[in-house]
Every structure is written in C-alpha cells, then in structure tokens.
Amino acid sequence: MPSSTGLRARVRAKLIAEIKDQARRQLADEGAPGISLRAITRSMGMASSAIYRYFPSRDDLLTALIIDAYDSLGEATEATDAACRRDDFGARWTAVGHAIRGWAQAHPHEYGLVYGSPVPGYRAPQDTIGPASRVTLVLAGIVTEASASGALSPPPYPLPPLSTPATAEARRLVEAAFPGVADETALRAVVAWTQLFGMVTFELFGHLEGVIADRSPVFERALLEMGVFVGLPLPGAVNTATIEQEDSERYLI
Amino acid sequence: MPSSTGLRARVRAKLIAEIKDQARRQLADEGAPGISLRAITRSMGMASSAIYRYFPSRDDLLTALIIDAYDSLGEATEATDAACRRDDFGARWTAVGHAIRGWAQAHPHEYGLVYGSPVPGYRAPQDTIGPASRVTLVLAGIVTEASASGALSPPPYPLPPLSTPATAEARRLVEAAFPGVADETALRAVVAWTQLFGMVTFELFGHLEGVIADRSPVFERALLEMGVFVGLPLPGAVNTATIEQEDSERYLI
DNA sequence: TGTACATCAGTGAACGCGCGTTCACTGATGTAC
DNA sequence: TGTACATCAGTGAACGCGCGTTCACTGATGTAC
C-alpha cells in the first residue's frame, strides 16, 4: 500500500505536524522572530539539516503557520455561524464576534502572527489569501443574507450622501462580497468589521490595560451596537413570517 | 558654562538623538527585532561597547523609541485638535482621525512598534503610560467637551439598556476620562476609538489589500459615521448660540 | 516472488555570519580649592 | 589663576552564544520488471 496514504506519507505528515507544533510552541514563548529551525530540530532530537526535507526554508514554515492560523480561525468562525438559527441574523453576528474573540484569546500568538505587525522581510504568498478571507466572508455572508431576506433596517438617522469615490468603493465591495446590499450598508459592514478586529487587537496587545478592566461586557455591548449600526436586528428578534414555517415555540415572546 | 546645558551635555544629547535615529532607520528596514546595537555603533563609527554609555541595554533603547513614537503621535494629534474651532466638535473629531491616520502612514514602523504585536520578552515600563494616553485623551476630550456644551445628540435609535457589568465599566470610564458624559456615550466613544485604530491598523498591516482599493474616502466615511454614532454633530454644524458670540460669517449656511 | 535500481530520510561537519554584554584600560573634559 | 583630582567618553578584546543553509554521504524504504 504505497500512494499518498502509504506508511511513508503518513510518517511524513506526522513529522510535519510535529515540526509545526514545536514552531507554535516557540512562537508562544519568543514570538515570531524567535522561531528557530535549529531549536525545532533540537527539540525533536534530529539533525538541524533534517528539517529541510520538510520545509525548504524558514519562510515556508512561517507561511504554513500563517495558513494554519487563518484556517483555524476561519473554521471556528464558520462552525459557530453554522450552529446558529439561519434567520436570527443578530444572534449570528454576535455569536461570530464572540467566536473570533474567543479564538484570539485561545491562540494569542497565532493571532499576533497574522494580525500583528507584519514580519519584516516576509512577503505573504498568494496561498494565504484564501484562508485569510474565510472569517471575513462569514461576516459578509450574515449581512448579505439578512439583506436578501429583508431583515436589514435602513440607517435610522440621516447622514450626508456618500462621496463619489466612496460610492465607487462601495460598489466594488457590493460586487465582491455583498451582492444585493445597499452601498451605505456595505461600507458600514466594513466599519463594523474593522471595529471588531480593532477591539480584539487592542485587548490582546494590551491597549485596554488601565482603560477597561472588565472587557467581556464592553465587547458584548460593542457587538450589539455595531450589529444594529449595520442594520441587523437584535439577537433573538426573528422575522415572524419565517418563524411560522418552522418551530415557533421558543421564539414567541 | 557647565551644568546641564554645558558642552558635554549638548554633545551627549546629540549622540543620543543620533543613536535613536539610526535605530529608527533599522526599525524601518528590518523591524523591531532587527534593531542591533552593534549595527548602530558600526554605522556611527564607534566601538560597539560605546553605546552602553547612552543606553544601559537594548530594552532601554526600545523603550526610548516607544516613548518617542507615542509622544510624536500625541503631539501631532494635540496640535491638530488645537488648530480646530473649539465648538466644531464634528470637525475636531474628523481632523483628529485624519491626523492619526496621517501620522501612521508617515511613520509606519513606529506605528507598528507601538500598536503592532508586542515585542516578545519586552515589558513596557511605567514611563510609556503617560505618552501612550495623549492621543486617547484628545479623543476623549472632544466627546467630553461636546457633552458639556450640550452639542451631543442622544442615540437616535433605541438599544437595550446596558448590562450591570457594562454599566460598571462605563462608570469607571466616565470618572477617568469622560466627566459628565452619559454611560452609553462613553462606551460608544470606546467603540469609535477601537474602530478608528482598527481601521488604521488593518490598512497599514495589509488587511485591506484586495478589499478596499481607494482607502481615503472609506476612512473619511468611517470617521463621519463613527462621529455621528457617538453623538457628535457633523463637521461644520456648529451650535448657533455659540456662533453669535464669535465671528459668524463663514459658519452661516 | 525476487532482484536491481531509484527515491527518500536523516546525518554530521562546515561555512559565514551575527548578536548583547562585560571589563580593564586610556585620555580628555570638567570641578574644587 | 593654577593645580590636583574626579568624572566621563570611548576603545578593543573577549565571552559565550545563536542562527539559516549547504553538501557529500549512509542506509532504509519503496518501485518496476
């Protein structure tokens, strides 16, 4: 039994996994610049040159860690969204926000690796783009589906109309990730997206130290505010028409 | 003429400045982990041990750079705010937002040094707290002064009341930085603050690549949205009562 | 089924480099009387 | 004003360490006929 599931291939996969695990351990201890190929091989009891059978260079190992991190976050986010009632858009938004923050707190150094200062001299290859956008697409999907099902409220207060270049950008966004969504709403979704990651980043990188002591309720409130800001209904506020087609018990007030 | 303005002291100050300049150059080229004391002394044509006359360790040099960065950003922000009409709170918010983004783009690596992933193994000493909060206090000041002068609009749409722990945090915030401001508003200011830095960070660290092409108008819109979100008037929308006491020409529509 | 050959994993030595920090020392600049 | 002494800036060698990557090589695992 050779092929890609053969013994050799399985051993190889195991070793690659172990190398990445050791690298993640070093990432946690010393940060990205502290990841050392020699230290990895040392901890695995192999010659320092042996690692080149698995990763052609240090940068390739870094890339693998980055892709893994994005995929891990993307997967957690997608799973959280998938576990929500489809038409409870407010609840989906809130749940996904908590999932992102939860993942960041559970994997602070991997979060720093992808959302922190770019590693100098390292240029992310194309392969990272797909994994990187998974989490973003989940957020965009919630807004888009809410819009399609008519659950989105229009902005409750008047704002000046979009400038011409802002409209152009909004159009691009709508076409790329928010089909059928209003220009203003797409831009607001971007604002909410940056707020969400901005707050998680500030919390993780220590910029809320001395500013906010009990961060969970503040984060919770921010999620609620930004959800409403985008036009999403409050969590639990499900469109009655939809309810009647499904189980109705627990959603009737 | 000895004292602290003596020749020796002046030469010393010059050298300290040159060391920091060289360090900043390396920061731009190689990132924070690439700052090397030996390389600095090499580029200045002095023995590698000489730098210890000026900085007792690499960490102390890092701390100096961090404090300088915070102070530079703080100063730019304060100056921008000071140049605005005091009662045009919307304009102050927008101008300060642009100033922060502008500084970040002019000093991307210093921005990364203070707002990027924490340097592993480095613990920021107390001395950084004051400089770090300058920019924050400017933003808080705008909201607080707007509130005091009655220019803040209440939230235009109903939201659930604050949870008990969120209220507690809001109270702490109000006491520390937003005297006289409503609980909800203080929390919204924090949300706007994290949005502002979140967007600047995303832009600088490459997370808007492929998402937003023309970032300035989107940032401009985000500033406007978040200003209104906090309750600030639109830029240029100045309280008429105040106008009458000052020059009225250009503010009458 | 058995043999010959190709592929792959892993070794160990070496290249060429860099780093932060310490220490005993020299010589110049400032200070006190 | 001039001299004796203390302070400070800067040197150069050394300590002890680490790193990524290459290369010729051995031995085991798989493949083809």
Side-chain angles (χ1 to χ4, degrees):
Chain A
M1 52 215 83
S3 80
S4 67
T5 58
L7 194 142
R8 227 181 207 174
R10 289 211 316 276
V11 170
R12 187 180 171 79
K14 275 240 170 71
L15 261 175
I16 288 182
E18 192 178 341
I19 289 173
K20 292 198 288 192
D21 278 349
Q22 289 292 348
R24 273 185 276 265
R25 208 153 296 160
Q26 291 186 22
L27 176 65
D29 288 350
E30 319 256 10
I35 296 177
S36 146
L37 303 188
R38 292 190 99 108
I40 292 169
T41 53
R42 221 178 294 132
S43 74
M44 293 174 66
M46 67 201 309
S48 65
S49 49
I51 201 172
Y52 290 89
R53 291 277 159 204
Y54 301 93
F55 294 94
S57 79
R58 191 176 175 279
D59 269 10
D60 289 276
L61 174 56
L62 262 189
T63 300
L65 294 184
I66 289 172
I67 290 176
D68 279 6
Y70 277 131
D71 271 327
S72 168
L73 171 60
E75 209 172 294
T77 312
E78 287 164 7
T80 299
D81 183 39
C84 292
R85 235 191 104 120
R86 295 286 80 199
D87 57 354
D88 194 346
F89 301 103
R92 285 170 68 186
W93 176 266
T94 304
V96 162
H98 281 301
I100 293 170
R101 176 171 179 250
W103 186 91
Q105 291 182 333
H107 309 84
H109 297 92
E110 289 171 74
Y111 184 89
L113 182 63
V114 295
Y115 290 109
S117 2
V119 178
Y122 172 82
R123 266 214 86 54
Q126 293 286 32
D127 326 30
T128 59
I129 296 181
S133 50
R134 286 173 68 173
V135 61
T136 313
L137 288 179
V138 171
L139 290 167
I142 296 172
V143 176
T144 302
E145 291 173 32
S147 167
S149 76
L152 271 194
S153 312
Y157 48 84
L159 268 187
L162 293 179
S163 65
T164 316
T167 306
E169 274 308 318
R171 293 275 156 80
R172 290 171 44 99
L173 278 168
V174 168
E175 194 171 342
F178 298 93
V181 173
D183 292 349
E184 285 86 353
T185 305
L187 285 179
R188 287 184 160 211
V190 168
V191 171
W193 172 57
T194 54
Q195 194 282 323
L196 175 48
F197 279 89
M199 189 150 179
V200 170
T201 298
F202 260 21
E203 179 176 10
L204 226 66
F205 291 0
H207 294 282
L208 301 187
E209 222 70 50
V211 178
I212 300 173
D214 190 6
R215 283 144 206 169
S216 291
V218 175
F219 183 77
E220 170 83 38
R221 180 71 179 186
L223 275 180
L224 203 71
E225 293 263 21
M226 292 317 274
V228 172
F229 171 80
V230 170
L232 295 170
L234 291 173
V238 176
N239 188 346
T240 341
T242 322
I243 288 176
E244 280 159 6
Q245 302 172 326
E246 307 184 12
D247 65 67
S248 54
E249 304 130 57
R250 54 197 176 120
Y251 290 94
L252 293 180
I253 314 146
Chain B
M1 49 215 86
S3 79
S4 67
T5 57
L7 195 142
R8 228 180 207 175
R10 288 209 317 275
V11 170
R12 186 178 172 80
K14 275 240 171 69
L15 262 175
I16 287 182
E18 192 179 343
I19 289 172
K20 292 197 288 191
D21 278 349
Q22 289 292 349
R24 273 184 277 264
R25 208 153 296 162
Q26 291 185 23
L27 176 64
D29 287 350
E30 319 256 11
I35 296 177
S36 147
L37 302 189
R38 292 188 99 107
I40 291 169
T41 53
R42 222 178 293 133
S43 74
M44 294 175 64
M46 66 200 311
S48 66
S49 49
I51 200 173
Y52 289 89
R53 290 277 160 206
Y54 301 92
F55 294 94
S57 77
R58 190 176 176 280
D59 269 10
D60 289 276
L61 174 55
L62 263 189
T63 299
L65 294 184
I66 288 172
I67 290 176
D68 279 6
Y70 276 132
D71 271 328
S72 168
L73 171 60
E75 209 171 295
T77 311
E78 287 163 7
T80 299
D81 184 39
C84 291
R85 231 190 108 122
R86 296 287 79 200
D87 58 355
D88 193 346
F89 301 103
R92 286 169 68 186
W93 176 265
T94 306
V96 162
H98 282 300
I100 293 170
R101 178 172 179 250
W103 186 90
Q105 291 182 334
H107 309 83
H109 297 93
E110 288 172 75
Y111 184 89
L113 182 63
V114 296
Y115 290 109
S117 2
V119 178
Y122 171 83
R123 265 214 86 54
Q126 294 285 32
D127 326 29
T128 59
I129 296 181
S133 50
R134 286 173 70 173
V135 60
T136 312
L137 289 180
V138 171
L139 289 167
I142 296 172
V143 176
T144 302
E145 291 173 32
S147 167
S149 76
L152 272 193
S153 313
Y157 49 86
L159 268 187
L162 292 179
S163 65
T164 317
T167 307
E169 275 308 318
R171 293 277 157 79
R172 288 171 44 98
L173 278 167
V174 167
E175 194 170 343
F178 298 93
V181 173
D183 293 348
E184 286 86 354
T185 304
L187 286 180
R188 289 186 158 208
V190 169
V191 171
W193 172 57
T194 54
Q195 194 283 323
L196 174 48
F197 278 89
M199 189 150 181
V200 170
T201 298
F202 260 22
E203 178 176 11
L204 225 67
F205 291 0
H207 294 282
L208 301 187
E209 222 70 49
V211 179
I212 300 171
D214 190 8
R215 282 144 206 167
S216 291
V218 175
F219 184 77
E220 170 81 39
R221 180 71 180 185
L223 275 180
L224 204 71
E225 293 262 21
M226 292 318 274
V228 171
F229 171 80
V230 170
L232 294 170
L234 291 173
V238 175
N239 189 345
T240 342
T242 321
I243 287 177
E244 280 159 6
Q245 300 172 329
E246 307 184 10
D247 65 66
S248 53
E249 304 130 56
R250 52 195 177 125
Y251 291 95
L252 293 180
I253 315 149

